Amino acid sequence: MRTLETFEFHYDTLKAALEKRALCDDMQIIEQAIAYANDKHQHQKRKDGSPYIIHPLAVAAIVAEFGLDTDAILAALLHDCIEDTDASHSDIASLFGETVAELVEGVTKLTRANFSSTEQAQMENLRKMFMAMSKDIRVVLIKIADRLHNMRTMQYQTPAKQVSKCRETMDIYAPLAHRLGMQKIKWELEDISLRYLVPDDYNTITNYLNEHQQQDEAFMNTIQSNISDRLSAVGIRNTSYGRIKHVYSIYRKMQTQCKRIEELYDLYAFRVIVDSIPDCYNVLGHIHDLFNLVPGRFKDYISTPKPNMYQSLHTTVIGKQGIPFEVQIRTWDMHETAEYGIAAHWKYKQGSGGGSEKDFEWVRRLLESQQDSDADEYIESLKIDMFDDEVFVFTPKGRIVSLPAGSTPIDFAYAIHSGVGNAMIGAKVNNRIANIDASLNNGDIVEILTSKSAKGPSRDWLNICKSNQARTKIKQWFKKEKREENVNHGRASFEAEMRRTGLPLSLTIDPEISPQLLKKLSFDNWEDMYAAIGYGGLTALKAVGRIRDEINRAMKSQANEKSAQVVAKPVEGENRHSVNGVIVEDIDSCLIKFAKCCTPVPGDAIAGFITKGFGVSVHRADCPNAANRHEQPQAARWVRVRWANQDNQPFETTLELDCITRDGLLLDVATVMSTSRVRLKELNGKDLPGGKSVFTVRFEVRNVDELEVIRTKLLNIRDVVGSRRGQN
Ligand code: MN
């Protein structure tokens, strides 16, 4: 752990980094920023009790070491001012320029965003969003420097905070550092995280390394002098050193190989840094000459750089000691890239604004040169200025939601759930009431206000929303919700109009009549027709007018034939009181008699006529006396009747037979009747002029089927030529 948490230490580090890059002229404005930040943070202390300014100063020093420009260094010094003090964007802009103010603003946004998430699946999204939120890559680099310093001073935090911060570092910052090629930063972030997240294993490894330090150093010194002696002898200018691999990588090896640290062999790595690429391959030859090559471990990342632009030659060899070790050979340029990644390629642009095309030159080059799948992943996370088509926002609970750029709270609401969208009455963005058509920005926390009494989406929303998802769901709502409303409303006015006109509604559900009516109305089904009335595309008056004639005609013809089938159809589940086997609709108890004219039996379609003083007279529906029952003024006296389901009760009925007169005919009819085992009540013959006669047969049957069997038998008698129900 660092013990040099003093103003002087960080100030000197910063100054040294600037001197190295000949930026000393900028020291004056940097001094100004230090004074400004110190003044703003004067009432704040670090957790360890030291003045707050030490933190931004340390971050600025790290940023300077990354190789970033003066604007980024100034922004690093001021990075907590907007978040923690009364300094505003415009204050900073007027003192240090708009670019610096924007960088600080960007860092503030990342600071406010909640990147802690327990969902593994969200991590990649979080990382993407982190990048997307930072239009300027310098913002990400300052934020990484900020996190690095906070990690270095983690011992002053509470244990709970240590764990949550380290978790976040492993989930977000270390992978980002890796993607950006900042290997050195990544290692440090990982090692500090491991120390707090898995302290036992961390201690095991560091204790082992400490115990073996002398041994390790002796070994590494031997190898290092073997290498440098040889290279000096052949005249290759180089810097070489050995190191123990970082703690977290040892931990990972132990985990993946299920080994104890004693069993791991490749803990050592040597670096040889030279001036040119030909020197790299030269060195490789000498290494392979000095030591024994471990087959299959040579990798040429110079001709094929890693997706994060890392370049080096890697080879693993074994010396006389029998201990394998890795040798990495690279140029100084490659070394800078390996340590600081994208930051190493930062082009200092005097006076020009950040975030321009040029800023991403390196990234672009990378995107063009890398084609493998690993690169795809990298490209995904590095799209920075290519994220124009996406915006990432949070739910109040910290869930990340990805939407098309320019999306509004409406899009957000429908992305959460269509129910949320349909019940939306307003929205809060970053805890402030916002218009539902406001454009959302990366990192916004969006809360949708809903109400049970919300009237649902408005048609305007279709023009406001940016996502297809929202548009589809809003359209669905109009189709479904509004249609229901329209159908109900339309049906009510249609039925009211039918009642007013005195037309029966029953025909609209009559399977035979209904299609004809719909044809007249030019609709495929009644729902559509009702919906049209509901919308106001058709008035109920007009609709009824169009079908009035058709209904009247249908009622007339039904009176002659079939309509009674509808009338007499038993209503399921209804168990009303019947009299003489007949139920009268709407009248619970009344006298029932069967009309002599047609003598109906169960199975016949029937209709009831309210007589004056004799109760209800039941006719067959096709009885001529019932033909005009739908017409005024008598219509009101006709009632709907139906048969009760009583199969065993006998009903009296009458058949008239037309015959050609002959002797013995009466006997033949009587014989048929007696063999049919029905109760014969009356059998009369009457001679007509011209050798014809009419027989009247009155008998009892249980239903119309029985009656038809007897009728057929009678018609089979020779000289019986016709038959008729009832009595004329
Ligand atoms: Mn900070």
Side-chain angles (χ1 to χ4, degrees):
M1 238 347 88
R2 297 191 170 218
T3 50
L4 294 165
E5 281 303 315
T6 63
F7 183 93
E8 290 70 26
F9 172 79
H10 295 301
Y11 183 87
D12 291 345
T13 311
L14 173 60
K15 208 167 173 191
L18 288 170
E19 276 164 4
K20 197 174 156 197
R21 291 166 48 231
L23 286 178
C24 292
D25 289 353
D26 292 334
M27 209 51 210
Q28 198 188 337
I29 185 122
I30 287 168
E31 295 278 10
Q32 254 182 56
I34 294 170
Y36 180 83
N38 191 30
D39 180 49
K40 287 290 169 190
H41 290 294
Q42 63 176 314
H43 301 299
Q44 266 178 289
K45 288 257 186 282
R46 294 282 290 167
K47 280 267 155 56
D48 63 352
S50 60
Y52 194 85
I53 188 63
I54 288 178
H55 168 63
L57 186 63
V59 175
I62 294 168
V63 165
E65 283 186 313
F66 283 176
L68 294 192
D69 59 11
T70 303
D71 279 344
I73 293 166
L74 292 172
L77 285 166
L78 304 168
H79 81 268
D80 280 330
C81 279
I82 290 183
E83 181 65 13
D84 292 345
T85 80
D86 61 1
S88 70
H89 181 107
S90 54
D91 292 345
I92 293 171
S94 64
L95 286 168
F96 304 101
E98 184 57 34
T99 305
V100 174
E102 268 170 23
L103 290 172
V104 173
E105 188 84 56
V107 176
T108 305
K109 231 166 121 189
L110 290 180
T111 304
R112 285 179 183 157
N114 172 18
F115 288 105
S116 55
S117 167
T118 48
E119 285 173 67
Q120 200 55 42
Q122 286 253 298
M123 290 311 158
E124 193 48 41
N125 256 346
L126 286 169
R127 289 192 281 267
K128 274 165 97 177
M129 170 165 157
F130 193 100
M131 298 298 283
M133 278 174 68
S134 325
K135 287 287 173 212
D136 191 319
I137 191 79
R138 286 176 293 184
V139 169
V140 176
L141 298 173
I142 294 167
K143 194 64 198 164
I144 288 175
D146 178 40
R147 173 53 56 109
L148 182 60
H149 184 245
N150 285 334
M151 291 296 283
R152 283 173 178 171
T153 54
M154 191 53 77
Q155 71 266 37
Y156 304 113
Q157 298 289 348
T158 62
K161 193 114 182 198
Q162 286 169 344
V163 168
S164 78
K165 286 285 166 193
C166 290
R167 194 71 264 159
E168 194 181 63
T169 298
M170 289 303 281
D171 288 338
I172 304 291
Y173 292 90
L176 271 180
H178 174 68
R179 297 273 166 77
L180 294 169
M182 307 169 84
Q183 206 171 40
K184 194 177 163 188
I185 310 304
K186 179 201 168 214
W187 289 348
E188 190 173 351
L189 292 174
E190 284 174 344
D191 281 2
I192 300 172
S193 297
L194 185 69
R195 177 182 163 168
Y196 294 101
L197 292 175
V198 197
D200 288 352
D201 289 4
Y202 179 86
N203 290 332
T204 305
I205 296 166
T206 48
N207 288 343
Y208 178 90
L209 294 178
N210 285 338
E211 279 164 29
H212 294 77
Q213 196 182 1
Q214 283 195 326
Q215 219 174 304
D216 289 339
E217 274 174 9
F219 170 72
M220 287 191 290
N221 285 338
T222 310
I223 301 296
Q224 197 263 328
S225 33
N226 285 168
I227 294 171
S228 58
D229 289 353
R230 165 65 76 97
L231 295 182
S232 304
V234 296
I236 299 174
R237 208 150 66 102
N238 73 93
T239 300
S240 64
Y241 56 91
R243 61 176 182 94
I244 302 276
K245 287 186 172 171
H246 76 296
V247 180
Y248 183 74
S249 78
I250 295 171
Y251 169 77
R252 289 283 301 150
K253 278 190 173 68
M254 288 164 66
Q255 295 292 308
T256 53
Q257 298 173 22
C258 291
K259 280 181 177 165
R260 292 180 305 130
I261 186 164
E262 293 82 355
E263 301 170 287
L264 290 179
Y265 60 86
D266 49 352
L267 297 182
Y268 309 95
F270 290 82
R271 275 206 191 112
V272 184
I273 306 169
V274 294
D275 294 334
S276 70
I277 291 175
D279 280 353
C280 291
Y281 290 97
N282 243 334
V283 170
L284 181 71
H286 289 291
I287 298 293
H288 286 167
D289 189 45
L290 275 173
F291 310 103
N292 290 324
L293 174 72
V294 175
R297 297 290 300 268
F298 170 69
K299 289 179 196 106
D300 183 351
Y301 294 121
I302 290 179
S303 61
T304 314
K306 282 191 184 181
N308 63 9
M309 286 303 269
Y310 176 87
Q311 285 184 296
S312 282
L313 299 175
H314 287 193
T315 186
T316 301
V317 292
I318 298 180
K320 289 197 291 280
Q321 300 85 347
I323 301 170
F325 55 92
E326 187 177 68
V327 183
Q328 302 168 349
I329 307 158
R330 53 174 72 146
T331 65
W332 284 104
D333 275 357
M334 293 172 193
H335 183 60
E336 276 287 293
T337 303
E339 301 272 279
Y340 295 112
I342 193 169
H345 290 256
W346 194 259
K347 302 277 190 293
Y348 176 59
K349 299 185 308 303
Q350 209 154 12
S352 78
S356 71
E357 290 271 324
K358 269 191 170 172
D359 294 357
F360 305 107
E361 216 176 84
W362 183 75
V363 178
R364 287 259 163 71
R365 199 146 38 85
L366 179 83
L367 300 185
E368 283 156 18
S369 65
Q370 303 301 314
Q371 299 293 331
D372 58 277
S373 63
D374 214 11
D376 286 347
E377 187 191 33
Y378 184 59
I379 287 159
E380 263 311 297
S381 64
L382 259 191
K383 275 188 181 166
I384 312 160
D385 61 335
M386 300 171 196
F387 267 121
D388 289 349
D389 56 341
E390 263 182 296
V391 61
F392 297 90
V393 296
F394 287 114
T395 68
K397 284 186 179 166
R399 187 159 81 83
I400 191 165
V401 177
S402 152
L403 297 167
S407 282
T408 64
I410 297 172
D411 297 284
F412 177 86
Y414 280 98
I416 299 301
H417 192 271
S418 53
V420 174
N422 293 335
M424 176 164 74
I425 52 163
K428 277 184 175 180
V429 174
N430 300 327
N431 235 355
R432 283 198 200 117
I433 294 289
N435 290 331
I436 56 169
D437 61 352
S439 282
L440 296 176
N441 294 310
N442 278 314
D444 282 347
I445 299 167
V446 188
E447 184 182 351
I448 299 301
L449 309 173
T450 60
S451 163
K452 276 181 187 159
S453 55
K455 292 192 182 95
S458 117
R459 289 203 180 268
D460 302 344
W461 293 11
L462 287 170
N463 301 322
I464 297 167
C465 67
K466 287 283 177 299
S467 59
N468 286 331
Q469 191 184 29
R471 200 166 288 125
T472 307
K473 285 177 174 175
I474 293 168
K475 278 185 185 161
Q476 266 169 9
W477 186 89
F478 276 108
K479 219 172 171 183
K480 189 170 162 277
E481 299 292 322
K482 262 291 197 273
R483 182 181 160 87
E484 239 162 68
E485 196 179 293
N486 289 330
V487 166
N488 289 339
H489 184 243
R491 188 201 305 271
S493 23
F494 175 77
E495 289 181 357
E497 184 58 27
M498 288 288 278
R499 271 195 299 278
R500 202 183 64 77
T501 324
L503 296 173
L505 281 165
S506 59
L507 290 178
T508 62
I509 54 158
D510 184 321
E512 303 228 3
I513 312 302
S514 177
Q516 296 172 33
L517 299 179
L518 284 168
K519 206 174 164 190
K520 280 274 170 201
L521 289 161
S522 313
F523 280 96
D524 289 339
N525 59 66
W526 290 100
E527 288 239 315
D528 286 354
M529 205 277 290
Y530 296 146
I533 294 176
Y535 271 122
L538 175 71
T539 64
L541 187 73
K542 221 170 187 174
V544 173
R546 274 191 211 165
I547 56 172
R548 181 184 294 142
D549 290 352
E550 194 68 25
I551 288 182
N552 282 331
R553 200 173 9 253
M555 288 195 302
K556 221 169 197 170
S557 70
Q558 276 193 345
N560 292 329
E561 306 166 12
K562 286 181 181 168
S563 80
Q565 285 177 353
V566 174
V567 171
K569 195 190 276 173
V571 178
E572 227 178 301
E574 199 180 347
N575 193 15
R576 298 187 53 160
H577 186 62
S578 71
V579 179
N580 293 345
V582 168
I583 291 164
V584 181
E585 306 276 333
D586 306 319
I587 303 172
D588 223 333
S589 180
C590 64
L591 277 175
I592 293 286
K593 61 172 190 160
F594 295 97
K596 286 273 192 300
C597 53
C598 54
T599 59
V601 297
D604 282 324
I606 50 175
F609 183 72
I610 302 171
T611 63
K612 292 182 174 160
F614 298 101
V616 172
S617 169
V618 177
H619 289 260
R620 298 213 325 266
D622 56 359
C623 174
N625 290 330
N628 296 326
R629 64 184 180 276
H630 294 299
E631 274 164 28
Q632 300 298 348
Q634 287 211 325
R637 293 178 65 187
W638 284 95
V639 291
R640 299 209 288 167
V641 293
R642 58 186 169 86
W643 299 104
N645 291 325
Q646 292 171 320
D647 260 345
N648 295 319
Q649 190 182 346
F651 288 84
E652 214 175 77
T653 191
T654 309
L655 279 179
E656 282 188 345
L657 305 172
D658 297 320
C659 311
I660 296 161
T661 310
R662 71 160 165 92
D663 287 340
L665 191 54
L666 189 64
L667 181 63
D668 288 347
V669 172
T671 306
V672 165
M673 293 311 289
S674 69
T675 57
S676 296
R677 294 181 188 178
V678 296
R679 181 180 289 216
L680 185 64
K681 293 296 216 48
E682 187 191 340
L683 177 57
N684 285 320
K686 193 165 75 178
D687 283 343
L688 297 177
K692 291 179 180 173
S693 50
V694 173
F695 280 33
T696 301
V697 195
R698 194 156 58 86
F699 55 100
E700 283 180 345
V701 288
R702 280 172 302 179
N703 55 50
V704 72
D705 294 339
E706 232 172 43
L707 176 115
E708 289 304 321
V709 169
I710 290 162
R711 193 213 290 252
T712 309
K713 283 183 180 170
L714 293 171
L715 284 169
N716 279 337
I717 298 169
R718 185 164 55 92
D719 294 324
V720 176
V721 294
S723 74
R724 195 163 39 255
R725 297 276 305 270
Q727 222 172 348
N728 285 320

